Amino acid sequence: MAAHRKPRQSPLGGQAVRTAATLALASAATATVFEGAGHAEPQLTPAQVRAKVDRLYQEAEVATEKYNGAKEKADVARGALDRLRDEAARRTDRLNAGRAGLGSVATAQYRSGGLDPAVQLALTSDPEQYLERAALAEKAGERQAVALASVRRELTGIGQLRAESARRLAELRGHESDLRRQKSAVQGRLAEARALLARLTAEERARYEAATTGSGRGGTGDGRGGGAGGRADRASEPRGPVSAPNARAAEALSFARAQLGKPYVWGATGPSAYDCSGLTQAAWRAAGVSLPRTTYTQINAGRRVPRSELAPGDLVFFYSGISHVGLYIGGGQMIHAPRPGAPVRVAPIDEMPFAGATRVG
């Protein structure tokens, strides 16, 4: 009887089922659209773009100084490794010479038959001559012992040099890995800044350039700089003799003035381009003073001075992370290398958050 029972009907008819399915798919698609829109990057206003670009440039500068520090450490480790390898080569040459000397003695002993001294005395017809030869042989034995001790010392020294070389090589590889990370960070920030600037219209970008170039923090972000901006910076160059507290500071200031208009290139130390710490390092090097490479080490390279006591030639630092430096020239002004696209120029020290100052020389 069960076989003749009518199958249960769906509460919805065929058309109703199709309609419900269509609505479900439409709802799912709508939800997907809204969900995707929730994760899409919001449209930024020109002011927000400018603020974000400025932040990216500062982050790039922080990464640049870390890159400079890693490069300095890598250069030191590479120099130490090269010196260790040179010393190992010299010791290997001495070891080989000592081994050759020992081999000559062994060959001579083999050729003489290595007779027992008592037998040699019994066979000689001239005992005095034998005793004389025995004394010479004893001296030769002493020389052999000295040569053997020297060989042992060289072997020990070479082993120590190899162990130190392996340590230095591992250290160098670590610094090189850090270099690659920091380089990637710099390039990533600059690429993101260029992409953001590309969102602006030509007029908006021109306004941004005009607003920021005058204060020394602007630019196109392409790393080239120069051009008309460089000529404008030379026009704002201080006139008259450099006023400085001493001859060395005057020399550093004179050098910095001669670099006005040259482009900023991250990691550069001159003579055709600079980053901020590369410029201050080069300026004081021209005055006979050796500064470390990075902003966060340069701030400790001299005597700290308060802002109220700044004098021409002082190094002035900015931001909480000590990521930017300039050379103070007096009157609240400095010469600095701002960032990619903005050449070496004169700018007020008030344009960035002041972090401290150091007097060197």
Side-chain angles (χ1 to χ4, degrees), residues 186-200:
V186 173
Q187 292 175 330
R189 299 297 189 280
L190 295 179
E192 192 174 350
R194 287 193 293 269
L196 280 170
L197 287 172
R199 294 184 182 186
L200 300 177

Side-chain angles (χ1 to χ4, degrees), residues 17-157:
V17 169
R18 287 192 293 273
T19 302
T22 301
L23 290 172
L25 289 172
S27 298
T30 303
T32 301
V33 168
F34 281 115
E35 183 180 0
H39 291 284
E41 186 175 352
Q43 183 66 33
L44 299 177
T45 66
Q48 289 172 325
V49 168
R50 292 194 295 269
K52 193 169 183 180
V53 167
D54 287 342
R55 178 176 57 79
L56 287 167
Y57 277 137
Q58 196 209 332
E59 289 174 359
E61 195 165 45
V62 171
T64 294
E65 290 305 310
K66 290 181 179 178
Y67 171 89
N68 292 338
K71 185 176 185 303
E72 186 176 44
K73 290 176 181 176
D75 290 343
V76 169
R78 188 177 293 106
L81 180 60
D82 289 342
R83 288 190 295 273
L84 287 169
R85 286 172 170 170
D86 289 344
E87 178 62 20
R90 287 191 293 271
R91 287 208 166 203
T92 300
D93 289 341
R94 291 199 295 267
L95 174 62
N96 291 337
R99 282 174 169 169
L102 287 173
S104 298
V105 172
T107 301
Q109 288 178 342
Y110 174 79
R111 286 175 178 171
S112 68
L115 293 176
D116 183 88
V119 177
Q120 293 183 36
L121 179 58
L123 294 177
T124 185
S125 59
D126 187 348
E128 290 185 3
Q129 185 182 39
Y130 166 76
L131 292 174
E132 182 180 347
R133 289 177 179 174
L136 292 173
E138 183 179 359
K139 290 180 180 177
E142 291 174 356
R143 288 195 297 272
Q144 184 178 1
V146 170
L148 185 59
S150 176
V151 166
R152 286 173 177 163
R153 281 196 305 273
E154 297 301 341
L155 282 170
T156 300

Side-chain angles (χ1 to χ4, degrees), residues 327-350:
L327 191 67
Y328 190 67
I329 60 176
Q333 302 283 306
M334 66 177 170
I335 294 175
H336 74 144
R339 70 180 187 190
V344 176
R345 61 184 53 173
V346 175
I349 63 173
D350 288 334

Side-chain angles (χ1 to χ4, degrees), residues 212-226:
T212 55
T213 299
S215 67
R217 297 299 295 167
T220 61
D222 60 6
R224 291 188 294 271

Side-chain angles (χ1 to χ4, degrees), residues 218-236:
T220 61
D222 60 6
R224 291 188 294 271
R231 290 191 295 273
D233 292 321
R234 287 193 175 278
S236 65

